[in-house]
Amino acid sequence: MKTKILFSFLLLMLPAFLFASSVITQLDGKVTDAKTGEAIPGAVIRIPDLKIVTISDKNGVYHFNNLPRGTYLVQVSSLGYRAIAESVNLSVASNHNFQLQASAVEVNEVVITGVSKATEIKRNPVPMVAIGKSFLDQRAASNNVIDEIANLPGISAVTTGPNISKPFIHGLGYNRVVTLQDGIRQEGQQWGDEHGIEVDQNTIDRVEIIKGPASLTYGSDAIGGVVNLLTPQPVAEGTIKGAVTNSYGTNNGLWNNSVNLFGNNKGLVWGTVLSSKVAKDYQNPHDGRVYATGFKEKDVHLMLGVNKSWGYSYFHATLFDDQQDIPDGSRDSITRKFTKQITDADTYRPIVSDKELNSYDIPVLHQRVQLYRVYNNSNFVIGPGNLIVNLGYQYSHRREYTHPQDADVPGLNLQLNSYTYDVKYNYPLGNGYDATLGVNGMYQDNKLGSNSTDFPIPAYHQFDIGPFLVVRKTFGKLDLAGGVRYDSRSFTGQAAYIDTTKAYFPQLYTGANPTNANNVTQQFSALSKTFSGATGSFGATYNFSHAFAVKANIARGFRAPSIAELSANGPDPGSQIYHIGNSDFKPEFSLQEDFGAFLTLPYVSASMEIYNNRISNYIFQEQELNADGSPVITQGYNTFTYVQTKAKIQGAEFNLDIHPVSWLHFANALTLTYGQNLGNGSPVPDSLKYLPFIPPLHTHSELRGSFSKGYKSFRNLFAFVGFDHFNAQDRFFAAYGTETYTAGYNLLSAGLGGSLYNTKGRNVMSLFVEGTNLANVSYQSNMSRLKYFDNAAVPAGVQPGIFNMGRNITFKLVIPIDFK
């Protein structure tokens, strides 16, 4: 294992030594107020494509050294002003001044996801959203990074407790949404219901989201969209910055502690983040404390890189280590208190004691997920263009301990090695044209641990490759973008036989003649499959003015079936399901049309986005039933099979942000998502007419006061009150009891915070307080899998399943580190 990681480290650092350029320049200038002409000190000037940043001095003057020649987007922002982004040609200019306009609306986001060079969101036809560090800090009560973004318009999450969340975009999730860290695909066993995103939330500085098919630049699995989790950009040259962060949540006793430190010495950049999270069982008014929802997580992130005149090259190494309780919802039939399994025979379950419910200890039945990752992000200036190289290696080790009398024997034991590559060259063609030619994909090798006893998927090899071409053209106010791609994914699954001699402890059979051996059955047959398909997109953005723009885009997406959908045949204790796949599946294809209109005025901003998505060969799970209507039970679990159909998902998002005065924000958002099963030609019965895990209508309103200048030593003060309404979800996949009706509910939240500065003007500490579900409402989200965790028989008049978390107030203290 150590040899593999060392080899991967050397391979990933190789690009840093391959290219060099002696053609360098500099850029300096002044940042001023557009109305008064006064200098703006402390403005942040950033060149995203070069990963460099500086800050204007007390006279508003900024300076960059050792820049490569070429045209780059420069972003300038300052509190109380509208951020701007302007293209600067360093081949002809070494001085450029910026003028900022005072505005209560500060956002003019620049993104890097889905493109090969930094681009303003308002000029990108693809539906996107980006959020920064201040947004993440103020969501202090979130237990993981996906929860921090799950209430954005068009975004939701399927959850299995407080620390397991999978992103959904426009009703699509699991292997239909690609999650990235710094542009590197996050690869674990994404098909598992109870397997969350293996990323430390404390390392994330910014999130960029593509809302719709992104197969053009990311290939299979991006048919629903992309979530790119970005670590902090390098600090200004000659500085060392960081922070010590401590958070505490009152509901489940969550402690989230982290320390980070970043430095930049003449282009040699480095950084580290160390984190630890621990929580006990969460609670709500309906269930009390919910047994087996605690967790322990430890994370390490290291970064080392260089910024030179030829570009940059950064090496990252991360370790994610999560121990997660496994809830099953079993209860005493009389008291409805939670019970626990104590033997493999499972003939009797005692009630869980109050001491256990309030303990931080991880129980015998739990899962442990470890991810080791090394990757390199490089950008080389070659001629008039840029060569971007992203290479990564990941080792994901997932174990589920499901034998209460044999704590060291894992039921599930999966070991996944993933090698990802992404190489593209961006070339300015002149006359407003810009082209990107690239290829990306991955190789995977999944192994089954020899000492495991559960085998839901086989050992397999997978190889992806996808070349693509993207062309952009600017005609003044009109921006056009389009491209084509061809994907190929190959699976080779290994046959496997199981020795069932020992009760409750089946083992992989490795003998010479499995077909004639006693008590040996075939679990998986050999599998060899190749899926391929062409995709493309075309879109346009027209900026009528700085205040008003419209967008339209049409995209075709592609997704090859996952290994679970093709060949699953086994239990997954964490999901409480026995899965059965189908090797005859065809790949999914989608065609999505998007349209959006955006208005941004100094005191009002509004937007409307609508989409229509049709998917062929849509894959989902349905439960198997016996002739009498009872569930089919296999090895103690409800049995689900994968099936295919045609599907349609439509929706809309509306946003209105009003600023009656500069410091007061009244933000409102509404999200609609409708998913329909179109069937395969024959009429679709009512119980099958809707797709599973479609979020209901959701509205969010927030009244926020922001006071950047603050009062005396207190600055960046804010306070908000939020109200979320979720409609009842009566459009659900009712067949076979797969989903049930979910009642509507309302949630109240609030928060406040600010920073303390000393007499020298240096930030001493920042405090963020957030309260969620302040009314302590008992509710069930239709996106929570715990809604279906309960006894097979529930007393009459009792709502089955586990309810979501009750009132939670979280305190987050950040002590900054800042010196030269």
Side-chain angles (χ1 to χ4, degrees):
M1 181 63 208
K2 292 181 179 178
T3 304
K4 235 180 222 185
I5 293 178
L6 178 61
F7 174 77
S8 300
F9 167 79
L10 295 174
L11 179 65
L12 298 180
M13 287 303 291
L14 183 61
F17 307 103
L18 295 181
F19 301 96
S21 171
S22 58
V23 183
I24 60 174
T25 185
Q26 64 181 30
L27 179 67
D28 53 32
K30 191 173 184 179
V31 184
T32 58
D33 187 299
K35 184 176 181 179
T36 65
E38 295 180 355
I40 301 178
V44 178
I45 304 93
R46 188 183 304 277
I47 307 180
D49 286 325
L50 300 178
K51 286 186 180 286
I52 55 175
V53 64
T54 191
I55 297 174
S56 61
D57 63 18
K58 62 181 180 181
N59 299 313
V61 174
Y62 74 92
H63 185 78
F64 287 110
N65 276 321
N66 299 322
L67 300 179
R69 292 189 182 274
T71 301
Y72 299 96
L73 196 69
V74 181
Q75 184 182 29
V76 184
S77 60
S78 182
L79 285 174
Y81 293 88
R82 177 182 296 174
I84 63 172
E86 297 180 8
S87 291
V88 179
N89 188 343
L90 298 181
S91 301
V92 298
S94 60
N95 182 273
H96 194 93
N97 296 323
F98 296 95
Q99 294 182 326
L100 302 184
Q101 293 184 341
S103 174
V105 181
E106 303 164 0
V107 176
N108 183 20
E109 293 288 358
V110 171
V111 295
I112 61 172
T113 303
V115 293
S116 57
K117 59 186 295 186
T119 306
E120 295 177 84
I121 284 184
K122 70 177 185 178
R123 303 192 75 100
N124 193 325
V126 177
M128 299 186 72
V129 65
I131 58 172
K133 183 63 174 174
S134 61
F135 179 97
L136 298 175
D137 277 337
Q138 293 174 20
R139 271 65 187 173
S142 300
N143 285 263
N144 60 77
V145 68
I146 301 303
D147 281 352
E148 290 176 327
I149 64 174
N151 272 346
L152 292 172
I155 314 300
S156 54
V158 163
T159 63
T160 310
N163 200 41
I164 300 178
S165 300
K166 289 179 176 293
F168 267 55
I169 300 175
H170 290 169
L172 296 175
Y174 292 97
N175 279 50
R176 296 184 181 94
V177 171
V178 167
T179 303
L180 311 168
Q181 180 164 339
D182 291 328
I184 303 294
R185 289 179 66 120
Q186 158 66 42
E187 288 298 319
Q189 291 82 21
Q190 287 97 321
W191 49 266
D193 286 300
E194 76 299 347
H195 193 188
I197 302 303
E198 299 158 331
V199 173
D200 173 20
Q201 68 189 94
N202 299 294
T203 65
I204 304 306
D205 185 72
R206 178 179 171 83
V207 183
E208 297 179 359
I209 303 169
I210 298 177
K211 297 191 288 186
S215 300
L216 178 61
T217 47
Y218 293 102
S220 181
D221 303 345
I223 194 171
V226 170
V227 177
N228 194 3
L229 307 171
L230 298 166
T231 57
Q233 294 285 296
V235 296
E237 187 173 310
T239 62
I240 296 176
K241 293 187 177 183
V244 177
T245 302
N246 302 99
S247 299
Y248 176 75
T250 59
N251 186 288
N252 59 347
L254 170 68
W255 285 102
N256 182 1
N257 304 313
S258 179
V259 58
N260 66 75
L261 203 62
F262 299 89
N264 185 342
N265 184 21
K266 298 180 180 179
L268 177 64
V269 296
W270 54 269
T272 183
V273 183
L274 306 175
S275 302
S276 174
K277 290 197 301 184
V278 60
K280 55 188 176 182
D281 299 331
Y282 79 82
Q283 57 188 321
N284 61 57
H286 184 271
D287 302 307
R289 288 211 178 269
V290 179
Y291 179 60
T293 55
F295 56 88
K296 289 183 179 180
E297 182 183 314
K298 295 180 180 179
D299 307 288
V300 178
H301 185 114
L302 303 174
M303 181 271 287
L304 179 65
V306 290
N307 282 85
K308 296 295 182 181
S309 59
W310 45 261
Y312 65 79
S313 185
Y314 289 178
F315 164 77
H316 297 256
T318 70
L319 166 62
F320 175 94
D321 189 345
D322 177 42
Q323 295 183 76
Q324 185 78 42
D325 299 2
I326 301 178
D328 65 9
S330 70
R331 309 181 190 230
D332 180 73
S333 59
I334 299 175
T335 65
R336 292 287 292 167
K337 291 185 176 181
F338 288 100
T339 60
K340 64 178 182 178
Q341 183 182 358
I342 57 174
T343 65
D344 283 292
D346 202 16
T347 56
Y348 165 73
R349 291 194 174 196
I351 292 175
V352 180
S353 68
D354 290 341
K355 181 179 179 180
E356 290 176 277
L357 291 172
N358 284 279
S359 173
Y360 284 97
D361 293 338
I362 298 295
V364 173
L365 304 187
H366 71 279
Q367 63 173 314
R368 184 175 188 182
V369 179
Q370 294 172 293
L371 180 76
Y372 303 86
R373 173 173 29 209
V374 290
Y375 61 94
N376 177 270
N377 302 127
S378 295
N379 189 337
F380 306 107
V381 179
I382 302 177
N386 296 74
L387 178 67
I388 299 171
V389 181
N390 297 310
L391 302 174
Y393 165 72
Q394 299 167 65
Y395 171 70
S396 176
H397 191 188
R398 177 183 177 188
R399 286 158 289 183
E400 293 183 1
Y401 295 93
T402 56
H403 299 289
Q405 294 172 288
D406 294 89
D408 297 329
V409 178
L412 192 68
N413 187 0
L414 299 177
Q415 302 169 39
L416 179 66
N417 292 276
S418 300
Y419 300 84
T420 60
Y421 62 94
D422 178 23
V423 181
K424 50 200 172 191
Y425 184 67
N426 181 70
Y427 185 81
L429 301 175
N431 297 321
Y433 283 97
D434 198 58
T436 300
L437 180 66
V439 61
N440 53 29
M442 65 178 170
Y443 170 77
Q444 285 190 333
D445 174 40
N446 184 70
K447 293 182 173 63
L448 303 179
S450 58
N451 61 336
S452 55
T453 63
D454 296 320
F455 311 96
I457 63 168
Y460 68 91
H461 302 289
Q462 175 187 324
F463 178 70
D464 295 0
I465 187 169
F468 61 92
L469 172 66
V470 180
V471 178
R472 291 165 294 275
K473 167 65 176 173
T474 298
F475 299 91
K477 296 181 178 181
L478 176 65
D479 294 273
L480 302 177
V484 293
R485 179 188 179 101
Y486 189 81
D487 272 292
S488 177
R489 170 173 286 185
S490 299
F491 285 108
T492 303
Q494 300 177 16
Y497 293 83
I498 306 300
D499 185 345
T500 61
T501 302
K502 187 177 180 181
Y504 312 115
F505 290 86
Q507 296 289 311
L508 280 175
Y509 181 77
T510 57
N513 192 4
T515 57
N516 294 324
N518 292 330
N519 301 318
V520 173
T521 60
Q522 186 173 31
Q523 186 80 359
F524 305 106
S525 57
L527 174 73
S528 180
K529 286 282 184 177
T530 298
F531 302 95
S532 58
T535 55
S537 72
F538 178 76
T541 300
Y542 190 81
N543 286 276
F544 290 89
S545 66
H546 287 295
F548 183 65
V550 295
K551 295 182 180 184
N553 192 73
I554 184 170
R556 186 176 195 245
F558 162 82
R559 185 181 80 93
S562 70
I563 189 65
E565 293 163 343
L566 290 172
S567 58
N569 182 30
D572 186 353
S575 67
Q576 300 292 302
I577 288 176
Y578 190 100
H579 302 268
I580 298 178
N582 188 334
S583 61
D584 294 328
F585 279 159
K586 299 176 181 178
E588 293 182 348
F589 287 96
S590 71
L591 185 65
Q592 179 166 321
E593 303 94 16
D594 292 275
F595 176 79
F598 307 85
L599 176 68
T600 306
L601 300 173
Y603 293 96
V604 176
S605 63
S607 66
M608 175 199 70
E609 296 179 88
I610 58 176
Y611 64 91
N612 178 59
N613 189 12
R614 286 180 174 264
I615 308 171
S616 59
N617 306 318
Y618 177 86
I619 301 172
F620 64 99
Q621 290 189 87
E622 60 182 25
Q623 189 173 2
E624 288 194 353
L625 299 181
N626 294 306
D628 62 358
S630 62
V632 173
I633 305 297
T634 307
Q635 297 183 18
Y637 300 100
N638 290 342
T639 305
F640 282 72
T641 58
Y642 290 97
V643 296
Q644 283 193 308
T645 187
K646 295 178 181 178
K648 178 174 66 175
I649 302 179
Q650 298 172 309
E653 300 156 23
F654 303 92
N655 288 273
L656 176 63
D657 195 354
I658 303 172
H659 307 267
V661 291
S662 61
W663 56 268
L664 185 64
H665 302 243
F666 183 42
N668 302 271
L670 182 148
T671 302
L672 290 166
T673 310
Y674 295 113
Q676 186 176 351
N677 178 3
L678 302 179
N680 292 306
S682 57
V684 179
D686 288 345
S687 63
L688 292 168
K689 66 185 298 184
Y690 301 115
L691 301 180
F693 283 131
I694 297 296
L697 180 147
H698 172 210
T699 64
H700 174 76
S701 296
E702 183 174 293
L703 187 65
R704 173 182 294 267
S706 300
F707 312 91
S708 58
K709 293 182 180 180
Y711 177 74
K712 293 186 178 180
S713 297
F714 299 94
R715 305 180 193 173
N716 302 325
L717 302 176
F718 73 90
F720 70 87
V721 177
F723 179 80
D724 285 89
H725 168 73
F726 293 84
N727 257 22
Q729 183 53 289
D730 54 5
R731 296 169 172 259
F732 56 92
F733 186 76
Y736 323 113
T738 302
E739 287 187 307
T740 58
Y741 171 85
T742 304
Y745 53 94
N746 300 309
L747 300 177
L748 181 67
S749 60
L752 56 87
S755 300
L756 175 66
Y757 282 71
N758 62 18
T759 55
K760 297 181 179 180
R762 177 168 293 186
N763 185 3
V764 176
M765 58 173 282
S766 298
L767 177 66
F768 304 91
V769 182
E770 184 186 17
T772 56
N773 192 7
L774 289 176
N776 209 23
V777 174
S778 293
Y779 74 98
Q780 288 179 318
S781 166
N782 80 303
M783 304 294 284
S784 170
R785 295 182 56 257
L786 296 187
K787 178 176 184 280
Y788 302 98
F789 285 23
D790 208 319
N791 298 338
V794 176
V798 174
Q799 175 64 35
I802 297 172
F803 282 60
N804 286 66
M805 185 181 286
R807 181 187 298 114
N808 183 35
I809 300 175
T810 300
F811 303 86
K812 181 176 182 178
L813 179 66
V814 181
I815 301 174
I817 302 169
D818 186 356
F819 55 91
K820 295 186 182 299

